[in-house]
Amino acid sequence: MKLEDLRKIREKVQKEIELREGKARVKIVVGMGTSGIAAGAREVLKTFLDEIEKRNLKDVIVTQTGEKGFASKEPIVVIEEEGKPNIVYGNVTPDIARRIVVEHIVNGNPVSDYVIEVGGK
Amino acid sequence: MPIFTVLICGGAACISSGEEVVKNKLISLIKDKNLEGDVKIIETGCMGPCQYGPVMIVYPDGSYYIHLTEDKIEKIVNEHFIKGRPVKEFLWETPEARKKVEEKKIIPFFEKQLKIVLSNCGNIDPENIDEYIGKGGYEALGKVLTEMTPEEVIDIVTRSGLRGRGGAGFPTGLKWKFARDAKGDEKYIICNGDEGDPGAFMDRSICEGDPHAVLEGMAIAGYAIGANKGYIYIRAEYPLAVKRLQIALKQAKKYGLIGKNIFETGFNFDIEIRMGAGAFVCGEETALIASIEGKRGQPRPKPPFPAQKGLWGKPTVINNVETLANIRHIILKGPEWFASYGTEKSKGTKVFALSGKVKNTGLVEVPIGITLRELIFDIGGGIQNDKKFKAVQIGGPSGGCIPEEHLDTPIDYESLTSLGAIMGSGGLIVLDEDNCMVSMAKFFLEFTVDESCGQCIPCRVGLKQMYNILDKITKGYGTIEDLERLEELAKTVKTTSLCGLGQTAPNPVLSTLRYFKDEYLEHIIDKKCRANVCKFEFKEERVKEKI
């Protein structure tokens, strides 16, 4: 093994470790309270994971949170990005989740039709 | 890509409190509920808070679960992994405020700690070399082999101020320099993992939690002194540490990081693991060398020191596990960085194994120079059941007791020695009002009497005589003359024994005589043990005499 080979392994694994510890450029937080789950949050979450894997986005993390307290807008998804206000989406379906990944996370344009709050947690 | 990564502590303490059952339950539940893609499980080395085991951390939120059971795991899977709600009542909480805390960083146990040596312990999978590399592993070895001369490596270690963490505190750079300057075609590096002190488990935890750091430190040391071969001497009572070291060694060899032509620089370094049978004296360097050579583990007089004449008569450096685990950090971050922690004469951090009557027992790493009070009351959380603190025993059977009036002493090599204790390998046993100091001294003496190799008379005969006197006192037969004889014997054994075992074995007696003489006198004059530990037999004996 050469020093460059070692560094290649390091870079790859470092990223994985950072992601598991919650250090990422973008964090997708899916509200998974009872009403969220009932409204299909689990499917939405799966779709996010799927899209991120497919597009090989190495600095995006998907995580869950409990009830967001806005049951009529479930499933609710918050996109947290470093240095930017949080964007909260409501009534997210798997299709919208795919659009959020492509338009918002990859291209930087929030899918404005489904944004219900900016700057909220 | 998993949503959650579970780090479950696979340190020996968590394993003995049921980690395996919990882990298996977790694995089977994850499988039953089809969460295999969502939850990744990594078994790590010791995370530190052994008292609360089995423990696990769930990332990315960092929820810290303690005292896990199968039932708790079931609820955590249902609530946290399926619904995304951490189960608050199972999370670590501070006893004082009864306040639930969700994040590792606001737990007082971690607040005053500084983890350098333990930075990977509990954070990576010790059985996966890639994880170690992901944390910068083997980068320091690459740096010294490609950019530095051996002299430069020794210079960096010298300037860092690192001192041997095995207890005596000899400057590591100087030891390496002696071995480098010694003449010899072959030289050796030995890693001393023979941690035999009652109450000490730092080295074990490092080997279990970050075995590659030890291998990397040895390879760097090998390059520095001109050795191509290293031995890890570790006791057979540490099966998990041995297993993880073996796995690590195999993986490092496979990657070519240990073995021939490392990083294609022409440097060869091979490591062998030798298991000791668990004799306390084999932690002494000359006895350890004899043991590796296949002889009986007995010490020999020094000089010549191992740096001149060590294993098979060749120049040898023996470094403790923790010392070696520091090396890579010093190389990567520089000697000035390392020297910025600690006190004027003692640099860096020290790992302590907190045990005894303290609330938070476990493994902690703190900057040298922190006070005993901070260590016991802030990090340790104070005394169990709100009893009164009596003393802290530092350094195992070679160490001594420090009473309350010295709690604000900063912990470093010199100040501990001046108080009659030693840094030792870092075992720290907290004693409360229910501990009898005379019995405590007797306990440690019984250990050293058993472990004496018997080679020299002061240690073999002197310690046994001291033990007999302590036994007499704890049974209520002691006299004032006994106390004088005990002190005289202790001083004689200390000054005339051949090796470190005998020279330090009287320390528990001497330090308790220094700070707790009144307890000895109570036993002798009043036939009273204030902690109600000693059971006096004299009444029964008198009846026997009459018959």
Side-chain angles (χ1 to χ4, degrees), chain B residues 317-444:
Chain B
V317 159
I318 299 194
N319 282 144
N320 160 268
V321 169
E322 193 186 330
T323 315
L324 289 164
N326 266 303
I327 298 297
R328 75 178 189 101
H329 299 283
I330 294 171
I331 299 290
L332 289 181
K333 295 190 183 145
E336 294 78 18
W337 164 82
F338 188 80
S340 70
Y341 299 110
T343 62
E344 198 198 332
K345 287 181 175 172
S346 310
K347 302 297 185 189
T349 60
K350 177 79 191 87
V351 182
F352 289 99
L354 263 181
S355 64
K357 304 287 179 63
V358 68
K359 275 182 190 152
N360 303 330
T361 59
L363 199 65
V364 301
E365 182 175 355
V366 291
I368 295 181
I370 193 172
T371 67
L372 284 164
R373 193 183 297 279
E374 286 175 286
L375 192 54
I376 296 163
F377 288 89
D378 296 344
I379 296 172
I383 311 302
Q384 284 173 15
N385 305 317
D386 298 314
K387 295 264 183 176
K388 204 173 157 344
F389 170 85
K390 191 182 234 176
V392 54
Q393 216 283 343
I394 300 187
S398 317
C401 288
I402 297 175
E404 195 170 7
E405 66 251 39
H406 295 298
L407 271 183
D408 292 308
T409 309
I411 306 172
D412 62 42
Y413 294 93
E414 281 76 20
S415 58
L416 287 182
T417 309
S418 73
L419 291 176
I422 57 165
M423 183 83 88
S425 52
L428 215 144
I429 304 167
V430 177
L431 307 168
D432 71 4
E433 55 193 310
D434 292 336
N435 288 102
C436 164
M437 301 312 283
V438 186
S439 304
M440 210 276 313
K442 188 176 132 184
F443 166 81
F444 281 108

Side-chain angles (χ1 to χ4, degrees), chain A residues 3-72:
Chain A
L3 205 48
E4 303 101 78
D5 304 327
L6 183 84
R7 288 186 179 146
K8 268 178 213 149
I9 299 176
R10 190 188 72 198
E11 272 159 32
K12 181 178 158 276
V13 184
Q14 208 165 19
K15 224 100 267 142
E16 281 173 25
I17 294 174
E18 281 174 4
L19 283 178
R20 87 170 171 233
E21 289 177 354
K23 291 173 202 144
R25 181 180 63 89
V26 185
K27 214 169 177 177
I28 302 173
V29 187
V30 182
M32 295 273 283
T34 311
S35 55
I37 293 174
R42 232 186 144 71
E43 286 312 303
V44 169
L45 185 108
K46 290 266 175 212
T47 311
F48 274 118
L49 283 172
D50 205 49
E51 278 299 308
I52 283 158
E53 186 117 54
K54 240 192 273 172
R55 291 169 194 279
N56 200 22
L57 300 176
K58 288 283 183 210
D59 51 357
V60 181
I61 195 168
V62 181
T63 176
Q64 312 174 335
T65 181
E67 205 74 47
K68 301 293 285 182
F70 204 172
S72 59

Side-chain angles (χ1 to χ4, degrees), chain A residues 1-3 6-7 10 13-14 20-22 32 34 37 42 45-46 49 52-53 60 62 64-65, chain B residues 1 3-5 35 38 42 59-60 80-84 123 130-131 133-134 139 255 263-264:
Chain A
M1 181 185 279
K2 287 185 194 160
L3 205 48
L6 183 84
R7 288 186 179 146
R10 190 188 72 198
V13 184
Q14 208 165 19
R20 87 170 171 233
E21 289 177 354
M32 295 273 283
T34 311
I37 293 174
R42 232 186 144 71
L45 185 108
K46 290 266 175 212
L49 283 172
I52 283 158
E53 186 117 54
V60 181
V62 181
Q64 312 174 335
T65 181
Chain B
M1 194 165 64
I3 312 173
F4 295 110
T5 305
L35 294 170
D38 300 353
I42 292 173
Y59 281 119
H80 195 155
F81 298 156
I82 297 180
K83 296 178 190 159
N123 283 324
D130 284 357
E131 293 238 321
I133 294 173
E139 191 78 16
Y255 271 9
F263 288 121
E264 301 184 358

